Amino acid sequence: MSKLVRKQIENVMPESDVLISLDKVSKCYKAHNINAVKNVSIDIRSGEFVAIMGPSGCGKSTLLNLIGAIDRPDSGSIVFDGQTTTQLDDEALTRVRGEKIGFVFQAFNLLPTFSVMENVMVPIELNKSKAQSAEKRAKELLQRVGLESRAHFFPAQLSGGEMQRVAIARALIHEPKLLVADEPTGNLDTQNGEKILQLIKEFNRDFKLGVIMATHSKEASQTADRLLQMRDGTLVQNEST
């Protein structure tokens, strides 16, 4: 039995097992006088799938960047996996991203001169401790997303849905605790979008992977365990889907 398959064994997380906690977090882009995120507080548990919905410009992407340690808040605190990330320097934040967080974006962001296999393995360059078994994990992940036969293809030879599946495998190669997905179906047709959401849900369920996803789609949000509504930089609703 492979390591990847063994990780699928059920391990129900207690309700109190908080993976990430935001306390009165705000972010203002002063150059444009935009209060992108205002006084947001939320707890997300390990293995929980949370969707954020709201109109364009409401602050969804900024909130995801703060959760994913890509950006820093102007005020408030963020605790991720027991670390207060708002107190870490840039080098330490890079380690958190490289070891514990995977990212999937609307635009795929694959490297055009790298093969599918090479694209999947890119994050390991930032996490040398896991490099030894990287190729084996990459092959297993490509098999899981149905692209093992495309390992030596290049992004230009793939469909949009296939490119997003590669992006998901890349996001999970370093076995993160949290997947940050910003409009992961935004560039896909309905059928491919549904396949991508199903894959994300399967990884969420089978590996107890925390997921935070921004979306415009009500249908996409129904994949999640919990729905957050965002408007003008604040959370206005918090409910189970």
Side-chain angles (χ1 to χ4, degrees):
M1 182 183 295
S2 71
K3 180 179 179 181
L4 193 67
V5 172
R6 287 199 300 271
K7 286 190 70 178
Q8 297 180 34
I9 297 174
E10 290 289 336
N11 180 22
V12 177
M13 296 289 185
E15 190 165 321
S16 61
D17 189 1
V18 175
L19 177 63
I20 187 162
S21 180
L22 279 68
D23 183 30
K24 298 179 179 178
V25 167
S26 296
K27 179 66 179 181
C28 178
Y29 295 106
K30 296 180 175 62
H32 303 285
N33 197 28
I34 297 173
N35 292 310
V37 172
K38 295 182 284 188
N39 204 35
V40 168
S41 296
I42 180 180
D43 289 342
I44 299 171
R45 300 191 302 274
S46 297
E48 187 177 21
F49 188 159
V50 176
I52 304 174
M53 281 190 68
S56 296
C58 72
K60 300 189 302 296
S61 292
T62 299
L63 182 59
L64 260 61
N65 287 343
L66 295 171
I67 289 172
I70 293 175
D71 205 352
R72 294 178 181 272
D74 295 319
S75 61
S77 67
I78 301 175
V79 179
F80 176 74
D81 196 31
Q83 284 186 296
T84 304
T85 57
T86 40
Q87 296 177 354
L88 299 179
D89 60 23
D90 290 344
E91 183 178 352
L93 275 182
T94 298
R95 284 199 301 272
V96 169
R97 291 193 301 270
E99 295 174 2
K100 298 183 179 182
I101 305 174
F103 298 90
V104 176
F105 301 100
Q106 179 176 342
F108 315 138
N109 293 343
L110 301 183
L111 298 174
T113 60
F114 281 30
S115 70
V116 165
M117 175 67 78
E118 289 168 337
N119 266 284
V120 172
M121 294 176 64
V122 162
I124 297 300
E125 295 300 316
L126 302 174
N127 190 0
K128 299 294 186 181
S129 65
K130 296 185 178 182
Q132 187 173 4
S133 58
E135 186 172 352
K136 180 181 178 182
R137 286 202 307 278
K139 289 179 179 178
E140 290 177 332
L141 283 165
L142 285 174
Q143 182 177 19
R144 179 69 185 262
V145 301
L147 291 177
E148 64 273 23
S149 65
R150 301 284 198 270
H152 301 295
F153 282 39
F154 290 87
Q157 298 173 289
L158 305 177
S159 69
E162 288 172 333
M163 285 193 283
Q164 194 63 299
R165 281 186 273 162
V166 174
I168 290 172
R170 177 186 60 191
L172 302 180
I173 185 68
H174 57 299
E175 301 174 283
K177 295 189 174 186
L178 178 69
L179 178 68
V180 176
D182 194 356
E183 298 284 357
T185 63
N187 281 346
L188 303 176
D189 59 35
T190 301
Q191 184 176 14
N192 277 306
E194 289 175 352
K195 290 179 180 179
I196 291 301
L197 291 170
Q198 182 60 35
L199 269 177
I200 292 174
K201 184 63 178 178
E202 287 176 3
F203 282 114
N204 161 248
R205 179 192 65 218
D206 294 345
F207 303 144
K208 298 305 171 189
L209 174 71
V211 178
I212 180 79
M213 177 181 73
T215 181
H216 282 96
S217 167
K218 185 175 182 180
E219 291 76 16
S221 72
Q222 291 172 349
T223 311
D225 304 318
R226 184 156 51 114
L227 172 61
L228 306 176
Q229 296 281 357
M230 197 166 189
R231 187 174 298 117
D232 298 328
T234 62
L235 297 178
V236 296
Q237 190 175 347
N238 188 346
E239 61 184 32
S240 299
T241 60

